[in-house]
Amino acid sequence: MLYTNATIVTVDEERRIIRDGALLVRDDEIVEIGKSNSLSAKYFDEDCIDLTGRVIFPGLVSTHMHTAQTLLRGAADDLELIGWLCDRIWVLQGNFTAEDGEMAAKISIAEMLRSGTTTFLESMFADRYCFDGLAKAVEESGIRGCLGKIVMDVGKYATEENKMMHPGLVETREQSLLGAIEMHEKWDGKGNGRIKVWFGARTPPGISDDLLREMASISKAKNIPITMHCAEVRADREFYASIGHTPMTYCQSVGILGKQTVLVHMVHLDDNDIKLLKETGTHVAHCPTSNCKLASGFARVPELLEANVNVGLGTDGAPCNNSNDLLQEMKLAAIIHKATHYDPTVVPAETVMEMATINGAKALGLEKDIGSLEVGKKADFVVIDLRQLHLTPSFDPISTIVYTATGRDVEMVVVNGKILVQHGKLITMNEEEIMRKAGKQAREIVARAGLKEVVKGRWPVL
């Protein structure tokens, strides 16, 4: 298939932007990129899609999200993190069924694809949600998924002695670690290579030192990457301090720092923590909306970037965002650090474009396949129609993508050479059925959790 007459944002080594560009895709790969007149003449007998007035850019990579939580969108707004998690989200998630887990995966994937995310990292899918359902949803939808299976053995949260996980979510070493290994053996590489299985460690002390060390050892032996929430709130920092560590000295002590690890949030870091991240090649997933909404604080992203730490972007879960739209996350990532640093030049639009594409691909170990539009890479890309009032004029496509566009502007999404979204509609998934079933199952979860009188708005509804 030949895609012609578009502005192509390549994010290649030279960061080229090709006006009136064309992209030739065969099977799942990009075969050639160049000017439309040249490629159209060279491949005159190729099936063609005219993308006049559109911009093509690499598929977005979300380095942190919780698929299960999309069924809980709006169920825990305006609460502080520990209460939000322990009294509301964990209670709801502890009442999930396997069917709920699969439906949550489907609505998450549908929303991500519709808004331009072609690859995502699931943080820690619990055993009770049924990992098989998540993997099947990825396989059938056509999206690219790195799927973190939860690893844990303790039901505590940070320094909160009286706050425990809902019993429906607590897992043993055998359930979590050995279950993750089993899922890796079953699913890693499936879906034409689109599925990768990761370890999704709980935040210490929700996982013991011994289990973290065992997981780290297996990670190296079996080449299974690791993702883990870290230093998200002050309570996390206080916990590490209580055992004589900073966040990164602790992670180093249990062996999880390294190029196969993505640490999430990373708000409460000191200078030495940043130095250790740089030295070990550990990746960071930045989730600015979640950090703001839960009042967790502001990650030191300008300092991380200055130290050449690889930083990607993630939306986190729907109850703390409340969206899986990475384009919206890009805008906040670009503006929030300007305010905290009193400097409009920090974290420019181009840097955020990199964070959402090639940096995310690097974090997931997929930079040789995705993250930029280059010959030989997988054909994962997004198309936006610039011929709209709110996108006009467009002097610079990067500025338009980062500061103006949202997921609602996505017209086409291609993953592995296959069109999954066309004319703004999903092709591989039934949107109407997913919305109907997801709404029904979400209400049933709230009822099972006994929270019908809690999960509602504060203003009276007549």
Side-chain angles (χ1 to χ4, degrees):
M1 180 68 70
L2 185 63
Y3 300 86
T4 63
N5 301 316
T7 296
I8 303 177
V9 176
T10 65
V11 198
D12 64 7
E13 288 291 332
E14 298 174 5
R15 302 300 190 257
R16 294 179 304 155
I17 297 173
I18 304 172
R19 298 282 188 186
D20 193 25
L23 192 70
L24 178 63
V25 174
R26 291 215 173 118
D27 297 323
D28 61 352
E29 286 190 359
I30 297 170
V31 174
E32 195 165 346
I33 302 174
K35 289 288 189 176
S36 284
N37 54 7
S38 174
L39 267 65
S40 294
K42 186 175 180 180
Y43 301 105
F44 60 88
D45 57 349
E46 193 81 29
D47 289 339
C48 181
I49 294 179
D50 184 354
L51 294 177
T52 298
R54 279 79 160 183
V55 59
I56 300 175
F57 55 93
L60 302 178
V61 180
S62 180
T63 54
H64 180 66
M65 69 94 59
H66 297 262
T67 50
Q69 290 185 3
T70 303
L71 281 189
L72 308 180
R73 192 195 320 267
D77 291 336
D78 306 322
L79 301 172
E80 54 81 30
L81 175 61
I82 295 171
W84 172 91
L85 185 62
C86 299
D87 300 333
R88 189 73 61 87
I89 297 303
W90 276 346
V91 176
L92 291 165
Q93 290 179 320
N95 280 277
F96 266 54
T97 65
E99 291 75 19
D100 296 330
E102 183 171 358
M103 182 50 59
K106 286 181 178 179
I107 193 170
S108 298
I109 291 167
E111 184 183 355
M112 284 190 286
L113 285 174
R114 278 283 306 273
S115 55
T117 292
T118 57
T119 303
F120 72 99
L121 173 56
E122 157 62 45
S123 180
M124 46 183 186
F125 207 73
D127 197 50
R128 74 173 299 115
Y129 312 150
C130 187
F131 192 92
D132 285 337
L134 168 63
K136 287 175 184 175
V138 172
E139 185 174 45
E140 293 169 3
S141 68
I143 200 168
R144 202 177 295 279
C146 296
L147 312 180
K149 166 71 177 69
I150 195 167
V151 180
M152 66 164 295
D153 57 350
V154 184
K156 292 175 61 178
Y157 182 82
T159 55
E160 301 295 314
E161 292 296 333
N162 298 320
K163 296 286 188 180
M164 301 292 288
M165 290 187 84
H166 186 278
L169 291 176
V170 176
E171 297 186 26
T172 63
R173 168 190 173 274
E174 288 70 29
Q175 274 180 290
S176 62
L177 179 65
L178 301 187
I181 294 169
E182 180 184 354
M183 291 299 101
H184 184 269
E185 292 171 350
K186 182 176 182 179
W187 284 104
D188 195 73
K190 293 294 178 64
N192 295 320
R194 290 181 291 103
I195 297 175
K196 303 294 182 183
V197 178
W198 286 45
F199 287 136
R202 267 211 66 209
T203 309
I207 179 171
S208 65
D209 294 0
D210 287 344
L211 188 54
L212 272 172
R213 290 190 180 97
E214 183 181 8
M215 181 191 71
S217 176
I218 295 170
S219 168
K220 293 177 177 65
K222 293 183 176 288
N223 197 33
I224 304 176
I226 297 168
T227 187
M228 186 181 83
H229 295 67
C230 190
E232 181 177 4
V233 293
R234 288 194 185 99
D236 292 328
R237 178 95 195 181
E238 290 165 4
F239 166 74
Y240 294 122
S242 73
I243 55 175
H245 280 290
T246 69
M248 293 306 95
T249 63
Y250 174 82
C251 289
Q252 186 178 47
S253 75
V254 294
I256 65 171
L257 294 184
K259 295 179 181 180
Q260 283 204 120
T261 296
V262 175
L263 296 177
V264 184
H265 297 301
M266 302 290 275
V267 175
H268 298 277
L269 304 178
D270 63 22
D271 289 345
N272 188 61
D273 288 326
I274 294 174
K275 180 183 177 185
L276 285 172
L277 288 167
K278 166 74 167 71
E279 290 174 350
T280 58
T282 307
H283 311 278
V284 171
H286 179 39
C287 306
T289 301
S290 172
N291 295 159
C292 287
K293 190 181 178 194
L294 294 174
S296 302
F298 303 102
R300 298 178 62 189
V301 169
E303 291 81 3
L304 288 164
L305 294 171
E306 186 177 358
N308 291 318
V309 175
N310 186 50
V311 181
L313 281 182
T315 58
D316 208 343
C320 59
N321 189 300
N322 295 35
S323 170
N324 295 315
D325 182 349
L326 201 63
L327 279 164
Q328 293 189 54
E329 202 72 22
M330 290 167 71
K331 180 175 182 176
L332 185 58
I335 64 177
I336 193 171
H337 304 290
K338 303 180 192 309
T340 60
H341 285 67
Y342 299 95
D343 182 354
T345 69
V346 300
V347 195
E350 292 81 4
T351 297
V352 173
M353 191 76 205
E354 292 168 341
M355 290 166 67
T357 55
I358 192 63
N359 287 14
K362 288 176 182 175
L364 304 185
L366 299 175
E367 70 273 21
K368 292 182 180 179
D369 293 323
I370 64 168
S372 61
L373 301 180
E374 301 180 68
V375 172
K377 283 197 169 186
K378 301 297 184 184
D380 288 17
F381 58 86
V382 179
V383 177
I384 284 178
D385 190 344
L386 298 179
R387 300 171 302 179
Q388 302 182 70
L389 281 173
H390 67 288
L391 301 179
T392 302
S394 178
F395 296 108
D396 170 18
I398 307 298
S399 171
T400 302
I401 293 165
V402 173
Y403 289 121
T404 313
T406 73
R408 294 178 181 87
D409 298 315
V410 171
E411 179 180 67
M412 178 184 289
V413 175
V414 176
V415 180
N416 244 21
K418 184 177 181 180
I419 297 174
L420 305 184
V421 175
Q422 193 165 30
H423 307 305
K425 297 293 184 183
L426 285 165
I427 293 176
T428 57
M429 307 180 80
N430 186 325
E431 294 181 47
E432 295 297 327
E433 181 182 25
I434 288 171
M435 286 190 290
R436 177 177 57 80
K437 289 184 176 180
K440 177 178 180 291
Q441 288 176 230
R443 290 188 292 273
E444 290 173 352
I445 292 167
V446 171
R448 283 198 300 272
L451 294 178
K452 286 180 68 174
E453 296 305 312
V454 177
V455 179
K456 60 181 182 180
R458 295 180 177 86
W459 289 1
V461 178
L462 305 180

